[in-house]
Amino acid sequence: MYNIVKEAHSGIAYLVLIALVIAVINAIIGATSKKEFTKKDRTISLVAFILTHIQLLAGLILYFVSPLGLGQLGNMKDSAMRLTSMEHPLINIIAIVLITMGWSQHKKAADDKKFGKIALFYGIGLVLVLSRIPYGSWFAESIKYKIFSYI
């Protein structure tokens, strides 16, 4: 089960990043061009919102079953262990809270402010997510998978 959740968490991460980038760019374009907030814009933001929450669920499951998660909380001197057991989960939960706030705030905002709410909260969330990705292990696993899947 651990490997399935780990692969899902790693794979969904690509979709989350793509969805967040698209949502933020769409919101920035919408805010700067003063266009009307349409169903398409809502759908783009909603997909990013849903994918981040699916990623959160996979991450929480992984945190409690992984040897790199909860079991390493006492090992804060090792930067790689600190990243996976403390920084990555905490900062990404904060990012998802901000994305959730952006989704909630855009629903309450006037039509001319909806894009601004999405751009601000989703944008900060995206920056936080990008800041705490364990790039070394993520890319190493992706390369290993691509090389050995053909053998």
Side-chain angles (χ1 to χ4, degrees):
M1 177 170 149
Y2 167 70
N3 286 331
I4 292 169
V5 176
K6 184 174 135 186
E7 293 298 322
H9 185 67
S10 183
I12 295 169
Y14 291 106
L15 297 175
V16 168
L17 289 175
I18 291 168
L20 282 174
V21 166
I22 291 170
V24 170
I25 290 172
N26 182 60
I28 290 170
I29 291 170
T32 57
S33 66
K34 307 277 190 211
K35 73 175 204 164
E36 182 181 327
F37 195 83
T38 63
K39 185 177 178 179
K40 178 192 77 125
D41 302 314
R42 181 183 178 281
T43 303
I44 290 170
S45 301
L46 181 61
V47 167
F49 174 79
I50 290 171
L51 284 173
T52 57
H53 284 78
I54 291 170
Q55 181 71 342
L56 173 65
L57 289 175
L60 287 174
I61 293 168
L62 190 60
Y63 185 74
F64 289 107
V65 300
S66 170
L68 299 175
L70 192 60
Q72 293 296 324
L73 279 179
N75 194 5
M76 292 294 120
K77 291 180 182 168
D78 180 10
S79 63
M81 285 296 148
R82 186 177 57 246
L83 176 64
T84 57
S85 65
M86 187 69 156
E87 295 172 2
H88 175 76
L90 182 62
I91 297 299
N92 285 322
I93 288 171
I94 292 168
I96 293 170
V97 166
L98 287 169
I99 290 166
T100 303
M101 288 171 59
W103 177 254
S104 177
Q105 291 292 315
H106 108 276
K107 292 191 303 185
K108 298 174 188 175
D111 283 343
D112 62 334
K113 304 282 187 207
K114 288 184 184 285
F115 282 118
K117 299 291 184 185
I118 296 289
L120 176 67
F121 287 101
Y122 280 44
I124 295 170
L126 176 61
V127 169
L128 288 175
V129 167
L130 289 172
S131 76
R132 292 296 106 199
I133 292 175
Y135 290 105
S137 62
W138 197 31
F139 290 140
E141 287 179 18
S142 296
I143 291 169
K144 181 177 78 174
Y145 175 74
K146 289 176 184 172
I147 291 171
F148 292 114
S149 65
Y150 296 111
I151 295 176

